[in-house]
Amino acid sequence: AQSVTQLDSQVPVFEEAPVELRCNYSSSVSVYLFWYVQYPNQGLQLLLKYLSGSTLVESINGFEAEFNKSQTSFHLRKPSVHISDTAEYFCAVSETGGGNKLTFGTGTQLKVEL
Amino acid sequence: KAGVTQTPRYLIKTRGQQVTLSCSPISGHRSVSWYQQTPGQGLQFLFEYFSETQRNKGNFPGRFSGRQFSNSRSEMNVSTLELGDSALYLCASSPQGSTFTTYEQYFGPGTRLTVT
């Protein structure tokens, strides 16, 4: 069975500063990796995904994540955050051949301050 | 395309009652999954349906059940409600083909269930 660890439950950061949200996973088989964002009282929005190909994936709003198989990590980064990035971020994994069953981390609350 | 819709958005029920939640996937999506989100347990997978068949199931008791209709719309049912069933129930749809491979999932806004 797979598992996901997000060590940081909360990350405070000032606006325009860089941020990294950490995600590590454990699985006995190959995996696909995802980052989702949740704003208050809303559902989850897909931020970016790694299914295959380049290990560096980017989103349209400036976030990027790099799949590191040797370190079993998929950390999320943004070089300069904005107030509107304040939200909860979830890392998720699914096993290849396992269909759409996602296993989520516990989430990281990103709080961007002025 | 319209996104995933879930009804109702909010629901209050009493212990022992049953409840049915509805999910309409994005047009053309044939896979629908359900998740439970609570402060204590986080996001947990309930089950996945594809072409009216359940093909993946999480570790939840039999009180939690679901079904999918020929138009891909899905319902989940919780019988004999307990206080611990209070949660945000999220539905997600995926543009999955007939092979059992993973695609990205798109989530609805959720149904907030409160059990008193």
Side-chain angles (χ1 to χ4, degrees):
Chain A
Q2 68 269 40
S3 66
V4 178
T5 301
Q6 292 182 251
L7 286 173
D8 306 307
S9 60
Q10 292 186 45
V11 173
V13 63
F14 288 108
E15 192 173 33
E16 298 183 2
V19 70
E20 177 180 84
L21 306 184
R22 296 179 293 168
C23 172
N24 288 88
Y25 69 92
S26 173
S27 176
S28 57
V29 300
S30 297
V31 298
Y32 300 119
L33 294 153
F34 305 85
W35 275 99
Y36 283 88
V37 59
Q38 186 174 37
Y39 298 98
N41 300 314
Q42 294 187 27
L44 300 170
Q45 297 178 26
L46 178 66
L47 194 56
L48 43 76
K49 64 190 180 198
Y50 170 75
L51 299 181
S52 64
S54 173
T55 57
L56 182 65
V57 291
E58 299 176 351
S59 71
I60 58 173
N61 55 357
F63 283 95
E64 65 176 31
E66 185 161 19
F67 171 51
N68 189 319
K69 188 175 181 180
S70 63
Q71 296 186 6
T72 60
S73 68
F74 192 54
H75 301 329
L76 181 69
R77 301 183 182 96
K78 189 171 185 179
S80 176
V81 295
H82 189 265
I83 285 284
S84 60
D85 293 324
T86 295
E88 188 147 26
Y89 292 78
F90 293 93
C91 181
V93 63
S94 66
E95 295 184 335
T96 58
N100 288 321
K101 178 182 177 180
L102 287 172
T103 298
F104 285 89
T106 51
T108 297
Q109 179 65 46
L110 175 64
K111 185 173 182 182
V112 181
E113 303 167 350
L114 292 171
Chain B
K1 280 185 179 178
V4 178
T5 58
Q6 293 187 245
T7 56
R9 291 293 311 278
Y10 302 91
L11 205 50
I12 300 176
K13 289 287 188 178
T14 305
R15 271 182 304 175
Q17 290 185 316
Q18 74 166 16
V19 67
T20 299
L21 312 181
S22 180
C23 171
S24 292
I26 292 172
S27 177
H29 287 194
R30 297 166 63 190
S31 168
V32 174
S33 300
W34 289 88
Y35 294 83
Q36 181 196 64
Q37 185 177 24
T38 60
Q41 300 298 317
L43 281 153
Q44 294 185 286
F45 172 80
L46 280 155
F47 29 65
E48 179 199 2
Y49 286 87
F50 178 79
S51 291
E52 302 177 64
T53 301
Q54 185 185 91
R55 63 177 185 181
N56 237 332
K57 190 177 189 303
N59 296 322
F60 278 82
R63 299 186 297 108
F64 292 82
S65 62
R67 60 177 176 168
Q68 187 180 33
F69 301 95
S70 58
N71 62 357
S72 294
R73 190 177 70 84
S74 177
E75 289 181 346
M76 69 162 281
N77 183 276
V78 188
S79 62
T80 320
L81 283 166
E82 301 177 359
L83 294 178
D85 296 333
S86 293
L88 180 66
Y89 290 89
L90 293 163
C91 166
S93 74
S94 173
Q96 184 121 5
S98 58
T99 56
F100 201 38
T101 54
T102 297
Y103 290 77
E104 63 271 22
Q105 294 182 59
Y106 298 89
F107 284 78
T111 293
R112 173 76 61 185
L113 172 65
T114 302
V115 182
T116 62

